[in-house]
Amino acid sequence: MKKFLHVLMAIVFAMVVFYGTAPSDVQAKTIFVTIGTGGITGVYYPTGGAIAKIVNKKRKQYGIRCTVESTGGSVFNVNAVMAGDLEFGIVQSDRQYQAWNGLAEWKDKGPQKDLRAVFSIHPESVTLCAAVDSGIKKFSDLKGHRVNIGNPGSGQRQNSIDALEANGLNYKKDIIAESAKASEAPGLLQDGRIDAFFYTVGHPSGAFKEATAGARKVSFIAIPNVDKLVSKFPYYAKSYIPVKLYPGAVNDKNVPTFGVKATFVTSIKVPAKVVYAITKEVFDNFESFKKLHPAYQVLTKKSMLEGLSAPLHPGALKYYKEVGLK
Ligand code: GLU
């Protein structure tokens, strides 16, 4: 017995030396998680910030430290989450569908079976804007013009290609397609180096505020044949650009287009307690979360469980069951 006590005391002593505290209040190690977002003038970046802000408030309780990274967008985020370089990513709902089913950029790699959905967030619209002096008044005028369709790794690149194809335009032959990041596009447009650009984003966004506030006048261009796109692709829905958000644009009526949803994804490899904590904090603080960006105005808790293609992560599902959302 005495020997046992000596051994026990030695262990306690070793722990005090090692952790600097007695075993009863040994702190769990901080878990660092990073959210992949998009360009800083998009809505993903502030969205990552909004989630991180809410989660980091409970840092002592969960031991989670959440940070945000600006990235090339949806496709980059899926790949980084699958590679374990990021724990979470914000991803367009169409890109989530394609990654889960092994389509588009994932055609060769196959279905991304470790991908898990957590919740969906704000609606995003495929937004096309053009410089008035370029003579682009309607979609078919894009022909022969220099148009930014988006960087590889972005969500919008495939949306731009789909919009062009639905209107009989081939992005390799009929336009001069540029592959710049959305954060650079407004500057390129204002400098006269491109005539128009596509960006799939929530509204209002810094990118379109910047694009419509310069000396070169800019208008949003309607996307025709949306019905065709919506019936061909299960993940597209009709939408419009609320032009009152951009008083600098020359449009006076809302502009019809199509859209998707921003969604929050992770990997099955990320521990359930981490996903549970983030889900719980966002949903338990839903009203304050909603105030963090005007694009969240339309959100309801129920709508945040719609538009997801990959299975729910068990950590998120646990929370939804607890509160009766599932
Ligand atoms: N939808 C864009 C993408 O997936 C990003 C939009 C944003 O950053 O708000 O690349």
Side-chain angles (χ1 to χ4, degrees):
M1 186 64 186
K2 212 168 165 192
K3 196 167 171 207
F4 172 74
L5 273 178
H6 279 152
V7 172
L8 191 68
M9 278 172 69
I11 291 173
V12 171
F13 180 73
M15 288 184 91
V16 170
V17 171
F18 188 73
Y19 292 105
T21 97
S24 59
D25 48 81
V26 168
Q27 279 284 312
K29 244 184 38 211
T30 302
I31 305 164
F32 291 92
V33 298
T34 304
I35 305 172
T37 60
I40 57 165
T41 53
V43 181
Y44 288 7
Y45 188 71
T47 296
I51 295 170
K53 183 179 167 184
I54 284 182
V55 174
N56 287 338
K57 271 192 189 154
K58 298 281 180 69
R59 191 172 170 177
K60 284 216 179 85
Q61 184 181 331
Y62 297 119
I64 298 173
R65 175 88 176 96
C66 198
T67 54
V68 171
E69 201 175 288
S70 170
T71 73
S74 286
V75 174
F76 177 95
N77 293 341
V78 167
N79 293 337
V81 169
M82 292 299 86
D85 296 336
L86 296 172
E87 286 71 32
F88 294 93
I90 307 179
V91 168
Q92 288 178 201
S93 49
D94 51 328
R95 301 323 220 137
Q96 186 187 136
Y97 179 96
Q98 291 163 344
W100 175 249
N101 291 293
L103 304 168
E105 276 87 340
W106 298 275
K107 213 169 178 159
D108 295 336
K109 289 188 219 166
Q112 302 300 296
K113 289 295 177 204
D114 284 350
L115 189 64
R116 291 295 178 272
V118 185
F119 47 77
S120 73
I121 326 170
H122 57 281
E124 301 188 85
S125 294
V126 180
T127 311
L128 171 64
C129 82
V132 172
D133 64 16
S134 70
I136 302 169
K137 288 205 180 74
K138 54 182 187 316
F139 197 89
S140 57
D141 297 335
L142 287 176
K143 205 166 179 171
H145 282 280
R146 197 173 283 278
V147 184
N148 189 45
I149 61 168
N151 57 297
S154 71
Q156 57 268 9
R157 193 174 169 91
Q158 189 61 45
N159 305 143
S160 318
I161 296 171
D162 289 345
L164 289 160
E165 269 172 12
N167 289 285
L169 295 176
N170 181 300
Y171 80 98
K172 290 184 184 148
K173 287 193 241 141
D174 297 320
I175 59 165
I176 308 162
E178 295 291 345
S179 302
K181 286 184 177 172
S183 57
E184 288 160 10
L188 293 171
L189 190 79
Q190 284 301 327
D191 291 349
R193 289 162 65 196
I194 55 173
D195 301 314
F197 74 89
F198 286 94
Y199 189 17
T200 305
V201 70
H203 292 293
S205 75
F208 285 110
K209 282 189 183 158
E210 189 186 336
T212 56
R216 203 179 181 199
K217 286 288 157 219
V218 161
S219 77
F220 292 104
I221 306 291
I223 312 231
N225 286 318
V226 164
D227 285 335
K228 205 157 122 187
L229 284 161
V230 170
S231 58
K232 185 168 175 197
F233 301 107
Y235 37 73
Y236 287 151
K238 281 189 178 185
S239 120
Y240 66 88
I241 318 298
V243 295
K244 70 167 193 301
L245 297 174
Y246 304 104
V250 302
N251 309 74
D252 50 18
K253 281 201 292 290
N254 288 341
V255 178
T257 179
F258 63 105
V260 293
K261 269 182 160 198
T263 72
F264 194 59
V265 303
T266 188
S267 158
I268 187 67
K269 294 189 180 124
V270 172
K273 65 171 187 183
V274 174
V275 182
Y276 174 84
I278 294 185
T279 311
K280 181 174 167 62
E281 289 313 312
V282 169
F283 278 76
D284 282 0
N285 298 289
F286 183 65
E287 289 311 320
S288 17
F289 176 77
K290 257 179 93 165
K291 291 196 190 99
L292 296 177
H293 197 286
Y296 308 154
Q297 250 169 36
V298 292
L299 296 189
T300 63
K301 287 187 179 181
K302 210 174 142 252
S303 77
M304 288 178 78
L305 269 75
E306 290 162 4
L308 307 170
S309 311
L312 284 171
H313 189 285
L317 187 59
K318 179 176 180 248
Y319 175 78
Y320 298 141
K321 283 195 168 149
E322 270 174 21
V323 296
L325 280 164
K326 270 280 168 190

